[in-house]
Every structure is written in structure tokens, then in C-alpha cells.
Coordinates of all heavy atoms in Angstrom, one line a residue:
M1 N 1.2 -33.6 40.0 CA -0.1 -33.3 39.3 C -0.4 -34.5 38.5 O 0.4 -35.0 37.7 CB 0.1 -32.1 38.5 CG -1.2 -31.7 37.7 SD -1.1 -30.2 36.7 CE -1.3 -29.0 37.9
P2 N -1.6 -35.0 38.6 CA -2.0 -36.2 37.8 C -2.0 -35.9 36.3 O -2.2 -34.7 35.9 CB -3.5 -36.5 38.2 CG -3.6 -35.8 39.6 CD -2.6 -34.7 39.6
C3 N -1.8 -36.9 35.5 CA -1.6 -36.8 34.1 C -2.8 -36.1 33.4 O -2.7 -35.3 32.5 CB -1.4 -38.2 33.5 SG -1.2 -38.2 31.7
C4 N -4.0 -36.5 33.8 CA -5.2 -36.0 33.2 C -5.4 -34.5 33.5 O -5.8 -33.7 32.6 CB -6.5 -36.7 33.6 SG -6.8 -36.6 35.4
L5 N -4.9 -34.0 34.6 CA -5.0 -32.6 34.9 C -4.0 -31.8 34.0 O -4.2 -30.7 33.6 CB -4.7 -32.3 36.4 CG -5.8 -32.8 37.3 CD1 -5.5 -32.5 38.8 CD2 -7.2 -32.1 37.0
Q6 N -2.8 -32.4 33.8 CA -1.8 -31.8 32.9 C -2.4 -31.6 31.5 O -2.2 -30.6 30.9 CB -0.5 -32.6 32.9 CG 0.3 -32.4 34.2 CD 1.5 -33.3 34.2 OE1 1.6 -34.3 33.3 NE2 2.4 -33.1 35.0
N7 N -3.1 -32.7 31.1 CA -3.7 -32.6 29.7 C -4.8 -31.6 29.6 O -4.9 -30.9 28.6 CB -4.3 -34.0 29.4 CG -3.2 -35.0 29.1 OD1 -2.1 -34.7 28.8 ND2 -3.6 -36.3 29.1
I8 N -5.5 -31.4 30.7 CA -6.6 -30.3 30.7 C -5.9 -29.0 30.6 O -6.3 -28.1 29.9 CB -7.5 -30.4 32.0 CG1 -8.3 -31.7 31.9 CG2 -8.3 -29.2 32.1 CD1 -9.1 -32.0 33.1
G9 N -4.8 -28.8 31.4 CA -4.1 -27.5 31.3 C -3.5 -27.3 29.9 O -3.5 -26.2 29.4
A10 N -2.9 -28.3 29.3 CA -2.4 -28.2 28.0 C -3.5 -27.8 27.0 O -3.3 -27.0 26.1 CB -1.6 -29.4 27.6
Y11 N -4.6 -28.5 27.1 CA -5.8 -28.2 26.2 C -6.2 -26.7 26.4 O -6.5 -26.1 25.4 CB -6.9 -29.2 26.5 CG -8.1 -29.0 25.6 CD1 -8.1 -29.3 24.3 CD2 -9.3 -28.4 26.1 CE1 -9.1 -29.2 23.4 CE2 -10.4 -28.2 25.3 CZ -10.3 -28.6 23.9 OH -11.4 -28.4 23.1
G12 N -6.2 -26.2 27.6 CA -6.6 -24.8 27.8 C -5.6 -23.9 27.2 O -6.0 -22.9 26.6
N13 N -4.3 -24.2 27.3 CA -3.3 -23.4 26.6 C -3.5 -23.4 25.1 O -3.3 -22.4 24.4 CB -1.9 -23.9 27.0 CG -1.5 -23.5 28.4 OD1 -2.1 -22.6 29.0 ND2 -0.6 -24.3 28.9
L14 N -3.8 -24.6 24.6 CA -4.0 -24.7 23.1 C -5.2 -23.9 22.7 O -5.1 -23.1 21.7 CB -4.3 -26.2 22.7 CG -4.6 -26.5 21.3 CD1 -3.4 -26.0 20.4 CD2 -4.9 -27.9 21.1
Q15 N -6.3 -23.9 23.5 CA -7.5 -23.1 23.1 C -7.1 -21.6 23.2 O -7.5 -20.8 22.3 CB -8.6 -23.4 24.1 CG -9.3 -24.7 23.8 CD -10.5 -24.8 24.8 OE1 -10.4 -24.6 26.0 NE2 -11.6 -25.3 24.2
S16 N -6.3 -21.2 24.2 CA -5.9 -19.8 24.3 C -5.0 -19.4 23.1 O -5.2 -18.3 22.6 CB -5.1 -19.7 25.6 OG -4.6 -18.4 25.7
L17 N -4.1 -20.2 22.7 CA -3.3 -19.9 21.5 C -4.1 -19.8 20.3 O -3.9 -18.9 19.5 CB -2.2 -21.0 21.3 CG -1.0 -20.9 22.3 CD1 -0.1 -22.1 22.1 CD2 -0.3 -19.6 22.0
E18 N -5.1 -20.7 20.1 CA -6.0 -20.7 18.9 C -6.8 -19.4 18.9 O -7.0 -18.8 17.9 CB -6.9 -21.9 18.9 CG -6.1 -23.2 18.5 CD -7.0 -24.4 18.6 OE1 -8.1 -24.4 19.2 OE2 -6.6 -25.5 18.1
A19 N -7.3 -19.0 20.1 CA -8.1 -17.7 20.2 C -7.2 -16.5 19.8 O -7.6 -15.6 19.1 CB -8.7 -17.6 21.6
K20 N -5.9 -16.5 20.3 CA -5.0 -15.4 20.1 C -4.7 -15.4 18.6 O -4.6 -14.3 18.0 CB -3.8 -15.5 20.9 CG -4.0 -15.2 22.4 CD -2.8 -15.5 23.2 CE -3.1 -15.2 24.7 NZ -2.0 -15.5 25.6
N21 N -4.4 -16.6 18.0 CA -4.1 -16.6 16.6 C -5.3 -16.1 15.7 O -5.1 -15.5 14.7 CB -3.8 -18.1 16.2 CG -2.4 -18.4 16.6 OD1 -1.5 -17.6 16.9 ND2 -2.1 -19.7 16.6
A22 N -6.5 -16.4 16.1 CA -7.7 -16.0 15.4 C -7.8 -14.4 15.5 O -8.1 -13.8 14.4 CB -9.0 -16.6 16.0
V23 N -7.5 -13.8 16.6 CA -7.5 -12.4 16.7 C -6.4 -11.8 15.8 O -6.6 -10.8 15.1 CB -7.3 -11.9 18.2 CG1 -7.0 -10.5 18.3 CG2 -8.5 -12.3 19.0
I24 N -5.2 -12.3 15.9 CA -4.1 -11.8 15.0 C -4.5 -12.0 13.6 O -4.2 -11.0 12.8 CB -2.8 -12.6 15.3 CG1 -2.3 -12.2 16.7 CG2 -1.7 -12.3 14.3 CD1 -1.2 -13.1 17.3
E25 N -5.0 -13.1 13.2 CA -5.4 -13.3 11.8 C -6.5 -12.2 11.3 O -6.4 -11.7 10.2 CB -6.0 -14.7 11.6 CG -6.1 -15.1 10.2 CD -6.4 -16.6 10.1 OE1 -5.7 -17.4 10.7 OE2 -7.3 -16.9 9.3
E26 N -7.4 -12.0 12.2 CA -8.5 -11.0 11.9 C -7.9 -9.6 11.8 O -8.2 -8.8 10.9 CB -9.5 -11.0 13.0 CG -10.7 -10.0 12.8 CD -11.7 -10.1 13.9 OE1 -12.0 -11.3 14.3 OE2 -12.2 -9.1 14.3
Q27 N -6.9 -9.2 12.7 CA -6.3 -7.9 12.6 C -5.4 -7.8 11.3 O -5.4 -6.8 10.7 CB -5.4 -7.7 13.9 CG -6.2 -7.5 15.1 CD -5.3 -7.5 16.4 OE1 -4.2 -8.0 16.4 NE2 -5.9 -7.0 17.5
N28 N -4.7 -8.9 11.0 CA -3.9 -8.9 9.8 C -4.8 -8.7 8.5 O -4.4 -7.9 7.7 CB -3.1 -10.2 9.7 CG -2.1 -10.2 8.6 OD1 -1.4 -9.2 8.4 ND2 -2.2 -11.2 7.7
T29 N -5.9 -9.3 8.5 CA -6.8 -9.2 7.3 C -7.3 -7.7 7.3 O -7.3 -7.1 6.2 CB -8.0 -10.1 7.5 OG1 -7.5 -11.5 7.5 CG2 -9.0 -9.9 6.4
S30 N -7.7 -7.1 8.4 CA -8.1 -5.8 8.4 C -7.0 -4.8 8.0 O -7.3 -3.9 7.2 CB -8.6 -5.4 9.8 OG -9.0 -4.1 9.9
I31 N -5.8 -5.0 8.4 CA -4.7 -4.1 8.1 C -4.4 -4.2 6.6 O -4.3 -3.2 5.9 CB -3.4 -4.5 8.9 CG1 -3.7 -4.1 10.3 CG2 -2.2 -3.8 8.3 CD1 -2.6 -4.6 11.3
L32 N -4.4 -5.5 6.0 CA -4.2 -5.6 4.6 C -5.3 -5.0 3.7 O -5.0 -4.5 2.7 CB -4.0 -7.1 4.3 CG -2.6 -7.7 4.6 CD1 -2.7 -9.3 4.4 CD2 -1.5 -7.1 3.8
E33 N -6.5 -5.1 4.2 CA -7.6 -4.5 3.4 C -7.4 -3.0 3.4 O -7.6 -2.3 2.4 CB -8.9 -4.8 4.1 CG -9.4 -6.2 3.8 CD -10.7 -6.6 4.6 OE1 -11.2 -5.8 5.3 OE2 -11.2 -7.7 4.4
S34 N -7.0 -2.4 4.5 CA -6.7 -0.9 4.6 C -5.6 -0.5 3.7 O -5.6 0.5 3.0 CB -6.4 -0.5 6.0 OG -7.5 -0.7 6.8
I35 N -4.5 -1.4 3.6 CA -3.4 -1.1 2.8 C -3.7 -1.2 1.3 O -3.3 -0.4 0.5 CB -2.2 -2.0 3.2 CG1 -1.6 -1.6 4.5 CG2 -1.1 -1.9 2.1 CD1 -0.6 -2.6 5.1
R36 N -4.5 -2.2 1.0 CA -5.0 -2.3 -0.4 C -5.9 -1.2 -0.8 O -5.8 -0.7 -2.0 CB -5.6 -3.7 -0.6 CG -4.6 -4.8 -0.6 CD -5.2 -6.1 -1.0 NE -4.2 -7.2 -1.0 CZ -4.2 -8.1 0.0 NH1 -5.2 -8.2 0.9 NH2 -3.3 -9.0 0.0
Y37 N -6.7 -0.7 0.1 CA -7.5 0.5 -0.3 C -6.6 1.7 -0.5 O -6.8 2.5 -1.4 CB -8.5 0.7 0.9 CG -9.4 1.9 0.6 CD1 -10.4 1.8 -0.4 CD2 -9.3 3.1 1.2 CE1 -11.3 2.8 -0.7 CE2 -10.2 4.2 0.9 CZ -11.2 4.0 0.0 OH -12.0 5.0 -0.3
A38 N -5.6 1.9 0.4 CA -4.6 3.0 0.2 C -3.9 2.8 -1.2 O -3.7 3.8 -1.8 CB -3.6 3.0 1.3
Q39 N -3.6 1.6 -1.6 CA -3.0 1.4 -2.9 C -3.9 1.9 -4.0 O -3.5 2.5 -4.9 CB -2.7 -0.1 -3.1 CG -2.1 -0.5 -4.4 CD -2.0 -2.0 -4.6 OE1 -2.7 -2.7 -4.1 NE2 -1.0 -2.3 -5.4
R40 N -5.2 1.6 -3.9 CA -6.2 2.0 -4.9 C -6.2 3.5 -5.0 O -6.3 4.1 -6.1 CB -7.5 1.4 -4.7 CG -7.6 -0.1 -5.0 CD -9.0 -0.7 -4.9 NE -10.1 0.1 -4.7 CZ -11.1 -0.1 -3.9 NH1 -11.1 -1.2 -3.1 NH2 -12.1 0.7 -3.8
L41 N -6.2 4.2 -3.8 CA -6.3 5.6 -3.8 C -5.0 6.2 -4.4 O -5.0 7.1 -5.2 CB -6.4 6.1 -2.4 CG -7.7 5.9 -1.7 CD1 -7.7 6.3 -0.2 CD2 -8.8 6.6 -2.4
Q42 N -3.9 5.6 -4.1 CA -2.6 6.1 -4.6 C -2.5 5.9 -6.1 O -2.1 6.8 -6.8 CB -1.4 5.4 -3.9 CG -0.1 6.0 -4.1 CD 1.0 5.3 -3.3 OE1 1.2 4.1 -3.4 NE2 1.6 6.1 -2.4
E43 N -2.9 4.8 -6.6 CA -2.9 4.6 -8.0 C -3.8 5.5 -8.8 O -3.6 5.9 -9.9 CB -3.2 3.1 -8.3 CG -2.0 2.2 -7.9 CD -2.4 0.7 -8.1 OE1 -3.5 0.4 -8.4 OE2 -1.4 -0.1 -7.9
A44 N -4.9 5.9 -8.1 CA -5.9 6.8 -8.8 C -5.3 8.2 -9.0 O -5.8 8.8 -10.0 CB -7.1 6.9 -7.9
I45 N -4.4 8.6 -8.2 CA -3.8 10.0 -8.4 C -2.7 10.0 -9.4 O -2.3 11.1 -9.9 CB -3.4 10.7 -7.1 CG1 -2.2 10.0 -6.5 CG2 -4.5 10.8 -6.1 CD1 -1.5 10.8 -5.5
L46 N -2.1 8.9 -9.7 CA -1.0 8.8 -10.7 C -1.5 9.1 -12.1 O -2.6 8.6 -12.5 CB -0.3 7.4 -10.7 CG 0.4 7.0 -9.4 CD1 0.9 5.6 -9.5 CD2 1.5 8.0 -9.0
P47 N -0.9 10.0 -12.8 CA -1.3 10.3 -14.2 C -1.1 9.1 -15.1 O -0.1 8.3 -15.0 CB -0.4 11.4 -14.6 CG 0.8 11.4 -13.8 CD 0.3 10.8 -12.5
A48 N -2.0 8.9 -16.0 CA -1.9 7.8 -17.0 C -0.8 8.1 -18.0 O -0.5 9.2 -18.3 CB -3.3 7.6 -17.7
N49 N -0.2 7.0 -18.4 CA 1.0 7.2 -19.3 C 0.5 7.9 -20.6 O 1.3 8.7 -21.2 CB 1.6 5.8 -19.7 CG 2.5 5.3 -18.6 OD1 3.0 6.1 -17.7 ND2 2.8 4.1 -18.6
D50 N -0.7 7.6 -21.1 CA -1.1 8.3 -22.3 C -1.2 9.8 -22.2 O -1.0 10.6 -23.1 CB -2.4 7.7 -22.9 CG -3.6 7.8 -22.0 OD1 -3.4 7.8 -20.7 OD2 -4.7 7.8 -22.5
V51 N -1.6 10.2 -21.0 CA -1.7 11.7 -20.7 C -0.3 12.3 -20.8 O 0.0 13.3 -21.4 CB -2.3 11.9 -19.3 CG1 -2.1 13.4 -18.9 CG2 -3.7 11.5 -19.3
L52 N 0.7 11.6 -20.1 CA 2.1 12.1 -20.2 C 2.7 12.1 -21.6 O 3.4 13.0 -22.0 CB 3.0 11.3 -19.2 CG 2.6 11.5 -17.7 CD1 3.5 10.5 -16.9 CD2 2.8 12.9 -17.3
Q53 N 2.3 11.0 -22.3 CA 2.8 10.8 -23.7 C 2.3 12.0 -24.6 O 3.0 12.4 -25.5 CB 2.4 9.5 -24.2 CG 3.2 9.0 -25.3 CD 2.9 7.5 -25.6 OE1 1.8 7.0 -25.3 NE2 3.9 6.8 -26.0
Q54 N 1.1 12.4 -24.4 CA 0.5 13.5 -25.1 C 1.2 14.9 -24.8 O 1.3 15.7 -25.7 CB -1.0 13.7 -24.9 CG -1.8 12.5 -25.4 CD -3.2 12.6 -24.9 OE1 -3.6 13.6 -24.3 NE2 -4.0 11.6 -25.3
Q55 N 1.8 15.0 -23.6 CA 2.3 16.3 -23.2 C 3.8 16.4 -23.4 O 4.4 17.5 -23.4 CB 2.0 16.5 -21.7 CG 0.5 16.6 -21.5 CD -0.2 17.8 -22.2 OE1 0.4 18.8 -22.4 NE2 -1.3 17.5 -22.8
F56 N 4.5 15.3 -23.5 CA 6.0 15.3 -23.5 C 6.4 14.4 -24.7 O 5.9 13.3 -24.9 CB 6.6 14.7 -22.2 CG 6.2 15.5 -21.0 CD1 5.2 15.1 -20.2 CD2 6.9 16.7 -20.7 CE1 4.9 15.8 -19.1 CE2 6.5 17.5 -19.6 CZ 5.5 17.0 -18.8
R57 N 7.4 14.9 -25.5 CA 7.9 14.1 -26.6 C 8.5 12.8 -26.2 O 8.3 11.8 -26.8 CB 9.0 15.0 -27.4 CG 8.4 16.0 -28.3 CD 9.5 16.7 -29.0 NE 9.3 18.1 -28.7 CZ 10.3 19.0 -28.6 NH1 11.5 18.6 -28.8 NH2 10.0 20.2 -28.3
S58 N 9.3 12.9 -25.2 CA 10.0 11.7 -24.7 C 9.9 11.7 -23.2 O 10.2 12.6 -22.5 CB 11.5 11.7 -25.1 OG 12.1 10.6 -24.6
F59 N 9.4 10.6 -22.6 CA 9.3 10.4 -21.2 C 9.4 9.0 -20.8 O 9.2 8.1 -21.6 CB 8.0 11.1 -20.7 CG 6.9 10.1 -20.7 CD1 6.5 9.5 -19.5 CD2 6.2 9.9 -21.8 CE1 5.4 8.6 -19.5 CE2 5.1 9.0 -21.9 CZ 4.7 8.3 -20.7
F60 N 9.6 8.7 -19.5 CA 9.4 7.4 -19.0 C 9.0 7.6 -17.5 O 9.4 8.6 -16.9 CB 10.6 6.5 -19.1 CG 11.7 6.8 -18.1 CD1 11.8 6.1 -16.9 CD2 12.7 7.7 -18.5 CE1 12.8 6.4 -16.1 CE2 13.7 8.0 -17.6 CZ 13.8 7.4 -16.4
A61 N 8.2 6.7 -17.0 CA 7.9 6.8 -15.6 C 8.2 5.4 -15.0 O 7.6 4.4 -15.4 CB 6.4 7.1 -15.4
L62 N 9.1 5.4 -14.0 CA 9.4 4.2 -13.3 C 8.9 4.2 -11.9 O 9.3 5.0 -11.1 CB 11.0 4.0 -13.3 CG 11.5 2.7 -12.6 CD1 11.0 1.5 -13.3 CD2 13.0 2.7 -12.5
Y63 N 7.8 3.5 -11.7 CA 7.1 3.5 -10.4 C 7.1 2.1 -9.8 O 6.3 1.3 -10.3 CB 5.7 4.1 -10.6 CG 5.0 4.2 -9.3 CD1 5.3 5.2 -8.3 CD2 3.9 3.4 -9.0 CE1 4.6 5.3 -7.2 CE2 3.2 3.5 -7.9 CZ 3.5 4.5 -6.9 OH 2.8 4.6 -5.8
L64 N 8.0 1.8 -8.9 CA 8.1 0.5 -8.4 C 8.0 0.6 -6.8 O 9.0 0.6 -6.2 CB 9.4 -0.2 -8.8 CG 9.6 -0.3 -10.3 CD1 11.0 -0.8 -10.6 CD2 8.6 -1.3 -10.9
P65 N 6.8 0.6 -6.3 CA 6.7 0.6 -4.8 C 7.4 -0.6 -4.2 O 7.3 -1.7 -4.7 CB 5.2 0.6 -4.5 CG 4.6 0.9 -5.8 CD 5.5 0.5 -6.9
K66 N 8.1 -0.4 -3.1 CA 8.8 -1.5 -2.4 C 7.8 -2.5 -1.9 O 8.0 -3.7 -1.9 CB 9.7 -0.9 -1.3 CG 10.4 -1.9 -0.5 CD 11.3 -1.3 0.6 CE 11.8 -2.3 1.5 NZ 10.9 -2.5 2.7
D67 N 6.8 -1.9 -1.3 CA 5.7 -2.8 -0.7 C 4.4 -2.5 -1.5 O 4.5 -2.1 -2.7 CB 5.6 -2.5 0.7 CG 6.8 -2.8 1.5 OD1 7.3 -4.0 1.4 OD2 7.3 -1.9 2.3
I68 N 3.3 -2.7 -0.9 CA 2.0 -2.5 -1.6 C 1.8 -1.0 -1.9 O 1.4 -0.7 -3.0 CB 0.9 -3.0 -0.7 CG1 1.0 -4.6 -0.5 CG2 -0.5 -2.7 -1.4 CD1 0.1 -5.2 0.4
V69 N 2.1 -0.1 -1.0 CA 2.0 1.3 -1.3 C 3.4 1.9 -1.1 O 4.3 1.4 -0.5 CB 1.0 2.0 -0.3 CG1 -0.4 1.6 -0.6 CG2 1.3 1.8 1.1
A70 N 3.5 3.1 -1.7 CA 4.8 3.8 -1.6 C 4.6 5.2 -1.0 O 3.6 5.8 -1.1 CB 5.4 3.9 -3.0
G71 N 5.7 5.7 -0.5 CA 5.7 7.1 0.0 C 6.0 8.1 -1.1 O 5.9 9.3 -0.9
D72 N 6.5 7.6 -2.2 CA 6.8 8.5 -3.4 C 5.7 8.3 -4.4 O 5.1 7.3 -4.6 CB 8.2 8.0 -4.0 CG 9.3 8.0 -3.0 OD1 9.3 8.9 -2.1 OD2 10.1 7.1 -3.1
F73 N 5.5 9.5 -5.1 CA 4.5 9.4 -6.2 C 4.8 10.6 -7.1 O 5.6 11.5 -6.8 CB 3.1 9.5 -5.6 CG 2.7 10.8 -4.9 CD1 2.1 11.8 -5.6 CD2 3.0 10.9 -3.6 CE1 1.8 13.0 -4.9 CE2 2.7 12.1 -2.9 CZ 2.1 13.1 -3.5
Y74 N 4.2 10.6 -8.3 CA 4.3 11.7 -9.2 C 3.0 12.2 -9.6 O 2.0 11.5 -9.5 CB 5.2 11.3 -10.4 CG 4.7 10.1 -11.2 CD1 3.9 10.3 -12.3 CD2 5.0 8.8 -10.8 CE1 3.4 9.2 -13.0 CE2 4.5 7.7 -11.5 CZ 3.8 7.9 -12.6 OH 3.3 6.9 -13.3
W75 N 2.9 13.4 -10.0 CA 1.6 14.1 -10.3 C 1.8 15.0 -11.5 O 2.9 15.6 -11.6 CB 1.1 14.8 -9.1 CG -0.1 15.6 -9.3 CD1 -1.4 15.1 -9.2 CD2 -0.2 17.0 -9.5 NE1 -2.3 16.1 -9.4 CE2 -1.6 17.3 -9.6 CE3 0.7 18.0 -9.7 CZ2 -2.0 18.6 -9.9 CZ3 0.3 19.3 -9.9 CH2 -1.1 19.6 -10.0
F76 N 0.8 15.1 -12.4 CA 0.9 16.0 -13.5 C -0.4 16.8 -13.7 O -1.5 16.2 -13.5 CB 1.2 15.3 -14.8 CG 1.2 16.1 -16.0 CD1 2.2 17.0 -16.3 CD2 0.1 16.1 -16.8 CE1 2.2 17.8 -17.5 CE2 0.0 16.9 -17.9 CZ 1.0 17.8 -18.3
E77 N -0.3 18.0 -14.1 CA -1.4 18.8 -14.4 C -1.0 19.9 -15.4 O 0.0 20.5 -15.3 CB -2.0 19.5 -13.2 CG -3.3 20.2 -13.4 CD -4.5 19.2 -13.6 OE1 -4.5 18.1 -13.1 OE2 -5.4 19.6 -14.4
K78 N -1.9 20.1 -16.4 CA -1.6 21.2 -17.4 C -2.6 22.3 -17.0 O -3.8 22.1 -16.9 CB -1.9 20.7 -18.8 CG -1.5 21.8 -19.8 CD -1.5 21.3 -21.3 CE -1.1 22.4 -22.2 NZ -1.3 22.1 -23.5
V79 N -2.0 23.5 -16.8 CA -2.8 24.7 -16.5 C -2.4 25.7 -17.5 O -1.4 26.3 -17.5 CB -2.4 25.1 -15.0 CG1 -3.3 26.4 -14.7 CG2 -2.6 24.0 -14.0
G80 N -3.4 26.0 -18.4 CA -3.1 26.9 -19.5 C -1.9 26.5 -20.3 O -1.9 25.3 -20.8
K81 N -0.9 27.3 -20.4 CA 0.2 27.0 -21.2 C 1.3 26.3 -20.4 O 2.4 25.9 -20.9 CB 0.8 28.2 -21.9 CG 1.4 29.3 -20.9 CD 2.0 30.4 -21.7 CE 2.6 31.4 -20.7 NZ 3.3 32.5 -21.3
Y82 N 1.1 26.1 -19.1 CA 2.1 25.6 -18.2 C 1.8 24.1 -18.0 O 0.7 23.6 -17.8 CB 2.0 26.3 -16.8 CG 2.4 27.7 -17.0 CD1 1.4 28.7 -16.9 CD2 3.7 28.2 -17.1 CE1 1.7 30.1 -17.0 CE2 4.0 29.5 -17.3 CZ 3.0 30.4 -17.2 OH 3.3 31.8 -17.3
K83 N 2.9 23.3 -17.9 CA 2.8 21.9 -17.6 C 3.5 21.8 -16.2 O 4.7 22.1 -16.0 CB 3.6 21.1 -18.6 CG 3.0 21.2 -20.0 CD 3.8 20.5 -21.0 CE 3.3 20.6 -22.4 NZ 4.1 20.0 -23.4
I84 N 2.8 21.2 -15.3 CA 3.3 21.1 -13.9 C 3.5 19.6 -13.6 O 2.5 18.8 -13.7 CB 2.3 21.7 -12.9 CG1 2.0 23.1 -13.2 CG2 2.9 21.5 -11.5 CD1 0.9 23.7 -12.4
L85 N 4.7 19.2 -13.4 CA 5.0 17.8 -13.1 C 5.7 17.8 -11.7 O 6.7 18.5 -11.5 CB 6.0 17.2 -14.2 CG 6.4 15.8 -13.9 CD1 5.3 14.8 -13.9 CD2 7.5 15.4 -15.0
A86 N 5.2 17.0 -10.8 CA 5.8 17.0 -9.5 C 6.2 15.5 -9.2 O 5.4 14.6 -9.4 CB 4.7 17.5 -8.5
C87 N 7.3 15.4 -8.6 CA 7.8 14.1 -8.1 C 7.9 14.3 -6.6 O 8.6 15.2 -6.1 CB 9.2 13.8 -8.6 SG 9.2 13.5 -10.4
C88 N 7.1 13.6 -5.8 CA 6.9 13.9 -4.4 C 7.3 12.7 -3.5 O 7.2 11.6 -3.9 CB 5.4 14.1 -4.2 SG 4.7 15.4 -5.3
D89 N 7.8 13.1 -2.3 CA 8.1 12.1 -1.3 C 7.3 12.5 -0.1 O 7.5 13.5 0.5 CB 9.6 12.2 -1.0 CG 10.0 11.3 0.2 OD1 9.3 10.3 0.4 OD2 11.0 11.7 0.8
S90 N 6.4 11.6 0.3 CA 5.5 11.9 1.4 C 5.9 11.2 2.7 O 5.2 11.2 3.7 CB 4.0 11.5 1.1 OG 3.9 10.2 0.8
T91 N 7.1 10.5 2.6 CA 7.5 9.8 3.8 C 8.4 10.7 4.8 O 8.6 10.3 5.9 CB 8.4 8.6 3.4 OG1 9.6 9.1 2.8 CG2 7.6 7.6 2.6
G92 N 8.9 11.8 4.3 CA 9.7 12.6 5.1 C 11.2 12.3 5.1 O 12.0 12.9 5.7
H93 N 11.6 11.3 4.3 CA 12.9 10.8 4.2 C 13.8 11.6 3.2 O 15.0 11.5 3.1 CB 13.0 9.3 3.8 CG 12.4 8.5 4.9 ND1 11.5 7.5 4.5 CD2 12.5 8.5 6.2 CE1 11.1 6.9 5.6 NE2 11.6 7.5 6.6
G94 N 13.1 12.4 2.3 CA 13.8 13.1 1.3 C 13.9 12.3 0.0 O 13.8 11.1 0.0
V95 N 14.0 13.0 -1.1 CA 14.1 12.4 -2.4 C 15.6 12.3 -2.9 O 16.3 13.2 -2.7 CB 13.3 13.2 -3.5 CG1 13.5 12.6 -4.9 CG2 11.8 13.2 -3.1

């Protein structure tokens, strides 16, 4: 095969790789945007520390998601004279 034809083939492969990389980059951006939105939703349901501080004499909350979002979360609600505090695992792996 002549040299110029090999170069044309290599250029075509390069264009194909660049197109595939652009698709992957676009998909990655979309996935990360979805994950960041999930993070905002997850953080919105977590009770604020000042709410917990008002309800309990002594407390601490250690919330360190391994990645951007976590499968574990905690929730608090006061209903009448009852204080409901839940530590939840939504991944199915158990707490």
C-alpha cells in the first residue's frame, strides 16, 4: 500500500477516535451533572446541625460520603413529644 494511502487511513482512524472521545466526554459530563444534582437532593434532606443541637444535649453527625453521593443518610423529625432519628442505608448492603 502506498505511503499516502496509509496516511489517509491513519487520519481516518484519528478522526474516528476523536469523535468517540467527544461522545465519551459528553456522556461523562451528563453523568456528572446528574450525580451532582443527586448530591444536592441528598444534602437537602439531611437535617441541619442547629436543628439537632436544639433537640439533643450532646450529639455529633459524621457524614463522609465515599464519592459524590452516598447510600447512607440520616433523617430527623419531631412529632409532638416524640423525636424520630433515623440512620438509613439505601444501598441494600446493610448498616
Side-chain angles (χ1 to χ4, degrees):
M1 179 180 280
C3 177
C4 62
L5 291 179
Q6 288 176 342
N7 287 343
I8 291 172
Y11 181 72
N13 288 340
L14 178 62
Q15 285 182 315
S16 175
L17 282 174
E18 287 174 345
K20 289 176 183 176
N21 283 342
V23 168
I24 291 170
E25 196 171 310
E26 184 178 317
Q27 290 172 341
N28 187 49
T29 298
S30 177
I31 291 168
L32 282 174
E33 286 174 357
S34 294
I35 291 171
R36 288 192 181 105
Y37 183 71
Q39 178 186 29
R40 288 187 8 225
L41 292 174
Q42 191 173 62
E43 288 173 351
I45 69 165
L46 297 176
N49 280 344
D50 61 333
V51 170
L52 296 175
Q53 203 165 31
Q54 290 172 6
Q55 298 299 319
F56 301 100
R57 280 184 237 146
S58 177
F59 88 98
F60 76 94
L62 180 63
Y63 182 71
L64 303 170
K66 178 180 170 270
D67 296 307
I68 296 174
V69 292
D72 304 322
F73 63 96
Y74 56 98
W75 175 83
F76 173 79
E77 187 71 33
K78 185 171 182 188
V79 180
K81 65 178 184 174
Y82 299 103
K83 297 175 184 179
I84 304 167
L85 178 63
C87 298
C88 306
D89 173 27
S90 62
T91 61
H93 298 133
V95 176

